[in-house]
Amino acid sequence: MDPLAEFDRHRGLLFAVAYEILGSVADAEDVLQDSWLRWSATAHDEVGNPRAYLARVVSRQALNRLRTVARARETYPGPWLPDPLPTGDDGAADRALRTDDVTVAMLLVLETLAPEERAVFVLREAFGTGYDEIAAATGRPVATVRQIAHRAREHVRARRPRFTVPRTGPGGWRRRSSGRRWAATSRR
């Protein structure tokens, strides 16, 4: 088996998993690069199902990245929104497929779910992955994965945001006014 060809064969799925968990194109690409490094160092003849193995590696890498980003987000000054996916002029059919892939519902999911809930929800609802595969990918028992998926669906239905974004900055100033102050000082 050619490791590069096998990775490229599943790259679309792997990118989709990473992007749906992270909500950032740059972070998803970083996760894919890290996952490629892990894949290239693996004994490929011992891997029974490369698709499942790669999905597990990408899911775990994305969850690790989310934990790192969550720590940095604690001091993020603005509202969080996922990056838009890059689009090209490939024709109306391709644009329609891309539009279906990234919907407002998925943006809602990215905002309302905890990292592990997000991974389980995306793998189960978006890609139809079985609970046993998700359990293997997350290192949790199947019963726990089922409960996480159930809770994730409840969170999505309830539309509860995980984070509240304050309207003012640390010193009580409004963000807009600080931008004006910065613009005024940069003209001097």
Side-chain angles (χ1 to χ4, degrees):
M1 149 180 27
D2 178 24
L4 180 59
E6 193 68 32
F7 190 85
D8 281 342
R9 194 171 116 210
H10 302 296
R11 185 175 175 76
L13 168 74
L14 301 176
F15 178 82
V17 167
Y19 176 78
E20 296 295 342
I21 292 172
L22 295 166
S24 165
V25 173
D27 287 340
E29 288 293 339
D30 288 347
V31 164
L32 283 185
Q33 287 177 1
D34 292 342
S35 299
W36 162 249
L37 292 174
R38 287 182 184 257
W39 173 246
S40 64
T42 301
H44 301 102
D45 53 340
E46 296 176 12
V47 176
N49 185 345
R51 179 181 182 265
Y53 179 84
L54 287 168
R56 175 192 297 183
V57 169
V58 167
S59 297
R60 287 183 176 173
Q61 292 285 358
L63 286 172
N64 289 341
R65 180 76 177 184
L66 257 184
R67 289 182 192 106
T68 303
V69 170
R71 282 186 228 117
R73 190 181 299 143
E74 291 173 359
T75 60
Y76 182 68
W80 176 81
L81 294 173
D83 291 345
L85 284 171
T87 60
D89 278 340
D90 299 338
D94 289 336
R95 281 195 301 274
L97 287 174
R98 277 194 300 273
T99 301
D100 287 342
D101 288 343
V102 182
T103 63
V104 174
M106 287 311 294
L107 297 179
L108 174 67
V109 168
L110 292 173
E111 183 181 290
T112 60
L113 300 178
E116 194 167 44
E117 289 175 331
R118 191 179 302 176
V120 170
F121 186 86
V122 167
L123 289 171
R124 179 69 184 164
E125 301 299 324
F127 298 106
T129 306
Y131 289 114
D132 53 340
E133 269 189 84
I134 297 171
T138 59
R140 299 292 207 135
V142 174
T144 303
V145 168
R146 287 181 187 275
Q147 184 62 39
I148 291 170
H150 175 73
R151 287 183 184 148
R153 284 189 293 273
E154 283 181 355
H155 286 255
V156 171
R157 277 190 215 111
R159 297 180 182 242
R160 289 180 293 220
R162 279 188 59 225
F163 304 105
T164 55
V165 179
R167 299 236 181 252
T168 60
W173 46 266
R174 294 213 173 261
R175 282 191 191 89
R176 253 188 230 160
S177 63
S178 68
R180 288 187 199 122
R181 280 188 224 135
W182 180 83
T185 58
S186 65
R187 284 185 230 145
R188 293 180 192 165

